[in-house]
Amino acid sequence: MRRLIPMWIAIIAGFAMLFSAFFPVTEFFGETFGEIFSVVAAIAYVLGAGSLAKINLAKISRRDQGWGYSAITLFCFAATLFVGLGKIGVPPNAQFAALPWSGEKNAEGSAFAWIYEYGLVPITSTMFALLAFYVASAAFRAFRAKNLEAILLLSTAFIVLLGRTFAGVVLTGWFPDWASGLRLENLSVYIMQVFNTAGNRAIIIGIALGVTATSLRILLGVDRSWMGSGGNS
Amino acid sequence: MQVLLSVVASVVSATTALGAVPAPPPPPTSVTAVDVPWDAGGVIEISWIAPAGSADARWLIERLTLTDAAGDEEKWVVVAEVPLGATSHTVSKLSLRGAHSFRMTAIDATGMGTPSATTKPVRAAANFFIGAKLSLFLGIILVSTCVIVCILLARGGRPLRIRRIAALDAVDNAVGRATEMGRPILFVAGIQDMDNISTVAGITVLGHVAKTAAEYDATIQVPTSRSLVMEAAREAVQASYLSAGRSDSYNPDLIRYITDEQFGFVAYVSGLMVREKPATCFYMGCFFAESLILAETGNSIGAIQIAGTAESSQLPFFVAACDYTLIGEEFFAASAYLSKEPDQMGSLKGQDVAKFLTAVVIIVGVVLATLAALAPTGAMPGALTWFKGVFGS
């Protein structure tokens, strides 16, 4: 029964969403299940917060290595929660000026907006910036000319990269008109529009078929492994 | 000053005398409004016969909605401004309640003209089926039929040959390596919620990996970026441990919620990798910019890495940084491939048949397009147009 009920919920909700995409009369059911999902996801936040608190508190109480970071995590979590729920520093909504809590929690000037703007954004931007270095190291490894395929990849990447810079125009801009197709900027566009698009579309078609088959397996109850391997038995 | 006024007066009188006072074009005639058939509702097509006018003129289309509810305000609202040369316009996002009337007015530099006759009230009704999605619907029916037929064939005991997928064959070895090295396995099911099919596919793979890990007595860590994914992952891993007869080894605290914030999650997982040095890392789900950060960190600690995603833009990063990558439909085939059950293997075969049919359609389309380009006056362009109409949308 523990497996049967989730499976039937998935089947009914899945078919409702599928039909609502094609039959307007069933749109209501699709929208309703979408709203139910949002409510369930919101309730699950409590479980997530509980997991976060439990694991970090245990780490602090055991004095595990790096327990200080757990303390900082919990402090920041609690502070953000307090500031957000309490709407600290939120200017009242113009329509309800007499009610101090009528404004949006992330309105300009609120403590929540301040934490977001001066705390979260710089930290996440820093993590995102690391990507540049990772791209460089991955490209260095991927473009090593180890075999014929790697040499082809390296050559193609070289043409595309050069073709998208001023250097490409400078290097091959003098080619006569009858050989303009060989100019790096034109070659780059040709590679991206023909070879890259063809390969990308092949992958996307495969993904679409895979999504359809996977959805069908779940809707027909053939694949129950999303409930765990035991679900198949 | 008097001289100036007299000049202006003479110019005005001269212009009036010649009858050349500039005016906007007359309104269009035969304005009709028709509900667009086979749609989800809220769309009406307006057509008209346009008179000649100045180059800078354009049409204002106004709408009057007559609702069924008494007391609703009824007033003309401008819904579109179209160029003078146009003879039709589609108005969308209309209310399904009540009827809509339209009128058109010319406007140019000299001002607004007189409005046209008002159209008969039309309801923007929703139809039973959305006709624009017919080819998609038929495509889904075709793929589903292929899958169901192959499942039935597999149930009947027909042997099905499925090509080997190196990345999935490596799962057992990767888990075994972690066991031998005494290090944990890291499984990341993407950063999206359970309403994303990639996340669901990732959780199905997690079930199989967790079962192997339970059999090998390896530790599996599953940080998640969504609370609902954490709950689903816990259910999947618990069921797998139970199925392997190792329910006592199951530790729910190893499947934990971190944060919904994309780079906050990446920071945690990268830190976890550097601290605990997992021997094997699985990335199965929906990934965006964080894919390369995770895969490169895993590469730097010498972990064996297996990735799978439906995000085609992230595949190159995984290919560059991981040992094995599930590309395209391989990712969605993982659960069926690992389970080896006849039903699921049948569905995989059905997927292959559908792919073959898709390839046939593509080849026919390419041949038709080539022939239409070579002989633009023959029957081929018409055939190509028909073909695009059937398979194009």
Side-chain angles (χ1 to χ4, degrees), chain B residues 133-148:
Chain B
K133 293 183 178 176
L134 180 64
S135 57
L136 176 64
F137 185 72
L138 293 177
I140 290 175
I141 295 286
L142 181 69
V143 175
S144 303
T145 307
C146 292
V147 170
I148 291 168

Side-chain angles (χ1 to χ4, degrees), chain B residues 49-379:
Chain B
I49 296 171
S54 58
D56 66 332
R58 56 222 184 267
W59 300 119
L60 281 185
I61 301 176
E62 292 176 286
R63 185 202 75 214
L64 177 72
T65 301
L66 304 164
T67 57
D68 300 329
D72 278 7
E73 192 182 0
E74 294 169 1
K75 61 180 181 182
W76 287 100
V77 179
V78 176
V79 289
E81 194 174 310
V82 293
L84 196 74
T87 56
S88 67
H89 182 75
T90 304
V91 183
S92 55
K93 295 181 180 172
L94 291 167
S95 168
L96 269 65
R97 284 186 289 180
H100 308 279
S101 294
F102 296 88
R103 70 181 184 190
M104 295 179 66
T105 312
I107 181 170
D108 65 6
T110 59
M112 283 179 69
T114 53
S116 68
T118 304
T119 64
K120 287 180 183 170
V122 181
R123 284 180 181 274
N127 299 100
F128 177 71
F129 183 78
I130 301 174
K133 293 183 178 176
L134 180 64
S135 57
L136 176 64
F137 185 72
L138 293 177
I140 290 175
I141 295 286
L142 181 69
V143 175
S144 303
T145 307
C146 292
V147 170
I148 291 168
V149 167
C150 287
I151 288 174
L152 293 175
L153 287 174
R155 279 185 185 171
R158 192 180 177 124
L160 299 172
R161 200 181 68 80
I162 303 290
R163 74 179 169 88
R164 311 288 303 172
I165 301 175
L168 296 175
D169 289 337
V171 167
D172 282 359
N173 292 336
V175 175
R177 180 177 184 260
T179 312
E180 284 170 9
M181 295 175 79
R183 289 195 204 159
I185 298 161
L186 178 73
F187 193 103
V188 185
I191 60 161
Q192 291 292 295
D193 220 326
M194 286 303 289
D195 58 343
N196 188 303
I197 189 71
S198 296
T199 311
V200 177
I203 294 295
T204 63
V205 179
L206 170 64
H208 295 287
V209 172
K211 191 174 179 183
T212 313
E215 286 164 355
Y216 285 34
D217 200 20
T219 307
I220 183 163
Q221 298 228 16
V222 189
T224 65
S225 72
R226 306 282 166 157
S227 309
L228 216 51
V229 177
M230 177 191 77
E231 283 304 308
R234 281 182 174 176
E235 284 293 321
V237 173
Q238 188 180 18
S240 299
Y241 271 71
L242 201 65
S243 163
R246 302 295 302 268
S247 55
D248 52 318
S249 302
Y250 168 66
N251 180 3
D253 288 345
L254 293 177
I255 303 152
R256 60 184 70 171
Y257 168 76
I258 309 303
T259 172
D260 279 38
E261 190 61 41
Q262 182 185 19
F263 289 107
F265 179 70
V266 174
Y268 175 84
V269 177
S270 299
L272 182 76
M273 283 183 188
V274 174
R275 283 192 302 274
E276 307 217 357
K277 296 197 168 32
T280 305
C281 297
F282 290 93
Y283 311 107
M284 301 274 175
C286 188
F287 293 89
F288 297 102
E290 70 284 353
S291 63
L292 189 61
I293 299 178
L294 295 176
E296 274 295 285
T297 309
N299 190 285
S300 70
I301 59 167
I304 186 166
Q305 302 196 98
I306 303 176
T309 184
E311 294 299 316
S312 58
S313 58
Q314 303 306 318
L315 280 171
F317 299 130
F318 278 140
V319 170
C322 294
D323 299 279
Y324 300 97
T325 306
L326 295 165
I327 296 174
E329 80 273 21
E330 287 179 351
F331 172 49
F332 294 101
S335 173
Y337 187 91
L338 290 169
S339 75
K340 308 281 185 205
E341 288 177 18
D343 278 10
Q344 297 217 44
M345 296 297 267
S347 74
L348 269 192
K349 198 68 187 172
Q351 199 176 314
D352 282 350
V353 173
K355 193 157 72 171
F356 172 75
L357 293 176
T358 309
V360 170
V361 170
I362 289 171
I363 290 168
V364 171
V366 168
V367 170
L368 274 178
T370 308
L371 291 176
L374 291 174
T377 53

